[in-house]
Amino acid sequence: MGDGVYLLTTNPGLEDIVEIELRERLRARPDSGVDVDAIAVEQKPWGLAGTLVASYLSNALSGGTLGSDLEDSLLEMQSVYHVVRHLRTAELRGDDLMAELLAAVEGTAIEPVSPNDTFRVSSKRSGTHPFHSVDIEREAGAVVQRQTGMSVDLEGYSVHVRVDLRDRVCTVGLQLTRDGLDRRWEWRYRPRVAQRTVVAYGMLRLARLGATPQCILDPFCGSGTILLEAAKMYPHARIVGGDKVIECVEGARENVRAAGLESRVSVEHADARDLVEQWPAASVDAVITNPPFGVRLGRKTDFEHLYHRFLRGVEHVLRPGGRAVFLGGKRRHYVVRVLGRLRGLRMKHVRVIETGGVYPAIYVLERITPDGANRSAISEEAP
Ligand SMILES: C[S@@+](CC[C@H](N)C(=O)[O-])C[C@H]1O[C@@H](n2cnc3c(N)ncnc32)[C@H](O)[C@@H]1O
């Protein structure tokens, strides 16, 4: 695949956002001189949703620090969970899959950096095989130990070898991330329904806010994931959250304080159904939010009514051209029905993602300017 190859993981459905973020970060590196177009990015290699391969050919470049610039950029990514420096791909063709897999590990140059290095092997496996991932970890671990002389340390390891198997494709690499790049905040309050930071980042990207938005609102803010991600992305914007549950308001405020962002991020005890009463018209650049949806709402709640009141408020608070991005159930008919009753919003984009084993949709709406374009069609557009 090339001289420097990295596997990246994200939520299925956000692969394009990873590629955009990566190229943007590389372009923004001061003095790197990186030819961004020399980086090849493949989304969903081997048909694997939620994965990307970023690679470069060193002989296509005239020296420089591309490798370390790329690696540094990858480790700053907000749309990525893990980064693995890829070492080898092997397609297993015979009957004894484990023997072939171990031969692939044996044929891979894994070298300790210092004499005291210790290692662990982790494996993710999908498909039908006569063994489990723990068997791969144990047997590949024995091969690495024999080959390198490093000893195993499952907790305090300094080298993290990944041996993954998807159907008959085995990949061997070194995982560069430890806890996951999404663990970037110190959470004092984290309810079960809290959203992944990577998903919040993806939603913010889909709002296409430009460089200097003034005000971003999350009226169903829960623990404040979107608020924190928005503050990181837009250091000059005012960020406002609201929640109708006082425990969430206090918890989100604690999270904001722990992040040192209280001068720019405020959290109100407010009902998202009352935005019309709470906010001046056209005063917000974007509403990015994760209302309760589907299974979590319970049968008795009038779902469509909640959405109607919420979106009527969105229509009121957004400036013309402003965007609302929200995570909702993937059945879009109720959103379409509510939008049919509102003249000032149109659907720009919908995509289904996977997060925590569920498949919600991200909806992107736009506040139509008074000369309003075609408001009924869903126009799919890239982020
Ligand atoms: C799915 S959770 C949001 C999770 C949040 N993004 C996070 O990462 O923690 C939905 C939130 O909406 C709040 N909520 C429900 N109905 C509301 C309403 N009418 N007005 C404001 N907040 C509401 C709930 O208390 C809950 O915190």
Side-chain angles (χ1 to χ4, degrees):
M1 267 193 273
D3 285 354
V5 182
Y6 297 87
L7 296 189
L8 316 174
T9 56
T10 189
N11 291 86
L14 296 180
E15 297 88 355
D16 54 342
I17 288 173
V18 174
E19 178 164 358
I20 290 167
E21 187 195 0
L22 174 60
R23 293 195 187 281
E24 210 174 81
R25 281 193 184 277
L26 284 169
R27 276 194 195 99
R29 285 195 87 77
D31 312 322
S32 71
V34 167
D35 176 4
V36 176
D37 297 327
I39 311 275
V41 177
E42 188 186 353
Q43 299 176 21
K44 303 188 212 168
W46 313 289
L48 212 66
T51 305
L52 291 95
V53 174
S55 53
Y56 66 90
L57 293 160
S58 64
N59 63 8
L61 300 156
S62 51
T65 56
L66 181 60
S68 62
D69 276 330
L70 177 59
E71 218 159 89
D72 290 348
S73 296
L74 291 173
L75 293 173
E76 288 167 1
M77 300 270 291
Q78 280 174 267
S79 58
V80 164
Y81 293 97
H82 285 289
V83 178
V84 174
R85 192 189 297 145
H86 180 74
L87 300 175
R88 187 187 181 102
T89 307
E91 202 155 331
L92 314 183
R93 297 173 196 282
D95 294 330
D96 191 344
L97 293 181
M98 181 61 93
E100 274 188 74
L101 178 143
L102 295 177
V105 176
E106 195 145 16
T108 307
I110 299 168
E111 279 152 23
V113 179
S114 81
N116 298 329
D117 272 338
T118 54
F119 81 101
R120 69 166 295 162
V121 174
S122 308
S123 178
K124 288 213 168 115
R125 189 189 63 80
S126 55
T128 310
H129 308 106
F131 46 77
H132 300 286
S133 50
V134 285
D135 302 317
I136 298 178
E137 288 168 357
R138 193 186 53 248
E139 299 210 24
V143 171
V144 174
Q145 190 165 31
R146 204 171 51 242
Q147 215 178 10
T148 64
M150 285 190 284
S151 44
V152 176
D153 185 343
L154 294 181
E155 297 296 327
Y157 59 89
S158 49
V159 177
H160 189 173
V161 180
R162 283 281 299 266
V163 181
D164 297 331
L165 184 60
R166 294 127 187 148
D167 297 321
R168 287 185 161 254
V169 179
C170 168
T171 53
V172 185
L174 299 178
Q175 184 168 311
L176 306 181
T177 38
R178 198 157 182 117
D179 291 331
L181 299 175
D182 58 320
R183 305 243 176 122
R184 47 185 168 256
W185 303 107
E186 194 183 314
W187 297 110
R188 299 280 163 85
Y189 169 72
R190 203 68 179 141
R192 198 181 47 83
V193 292
Q195 195 181 356
R196 311 287 307 252
T197 51
V198 166
V199 174
Y201 175 82
M203 289 168 66
L204 279 152
R205 290 302 306 230
L206 288 168
R208 289 181 157 196
L209 275 167
T212 53
Q214 313 254 301
C215 182
I216 299 171
L217 169 66
D218 176 359
F220 297 92
C221 73
S223 58
T225 316
I226 292 170
L227 307 178
L228 298 186
E229 289 295 306
K232 183 173 166 75
M233 223 168 142
Y234 299 108
H236 303 293
R238 176 178 159 232
I239 319 283
V240 182
D243 203 288
K244 73 167 187 183
V245 175
I246 191 69
E247 183 193 327
C248 296
V249 174
E250 285 167 358
R253 282 181 183 154
E254 272 194 61
N255 291 336
V256 168
R257 264 196 303 277
L261 290 167
E262 62 274 33
S263 62
R264 288 196 296 120
V265 181
S266 58
V267 185
E268 312 296 337
H269 186 209
D271 193 318
R273 289 172 294 191
D274 299 331
L275 297 180
V276 174
E277 289 77 28
Q278 295 157 5
W279 286 80
S283 54
V284 165
D285 295 282
V287 176
I288 318 287
T289 197
N290 171 202
F293 64 87
V295 279
R296 286 170 187 157
L297 261 184
R299 271 200 208 131
K300 288 202 181 108
T301 315
D302 186 348
F303 196 51
E304 209 166 305
H305 187 62
L306 171 73
Y307 267 70
H308 184 245
R309 293 263 304 264
F310 158 57
L311 290 176
R312 197 171 53 115
V314 167
E315 184 185 43
H316 167 81
V317 296
L318 277 183
R319 62 162 173 74
R323 288 191 165 196
V325 181
F326 66 94
L327 197 64
K330 69 179 166 195
R331 274 170 284 147
R332 59 180 81 166
H333 56 269
Y334 60 87
V335 180
V336 171
R337 235 181 357 246
V338 169
L339 286 182
R341 289 193 261 153
L342 298 170
R343 304 222 56 80
L345 293 172
R346 74 161 162 175
M347 186 103 81
K348 284 293 280 185
H349 177 80
V350 187
R351 65 170 63 189
V352 174
I353 63 161
E354 190 267 324
T355 175
V358 291
Y359 294 84
I362 297 177
Y363 295 87
V364 182
L365 312 181
E366 189 175 61
R367 181 75 173 94
I368 305 171
T369 41
D371 58 349
N374 171 12
R375 46 185 308 286
S376 54
I378 295 175
S379 57
E380 303 286 338
E381 56 161 31

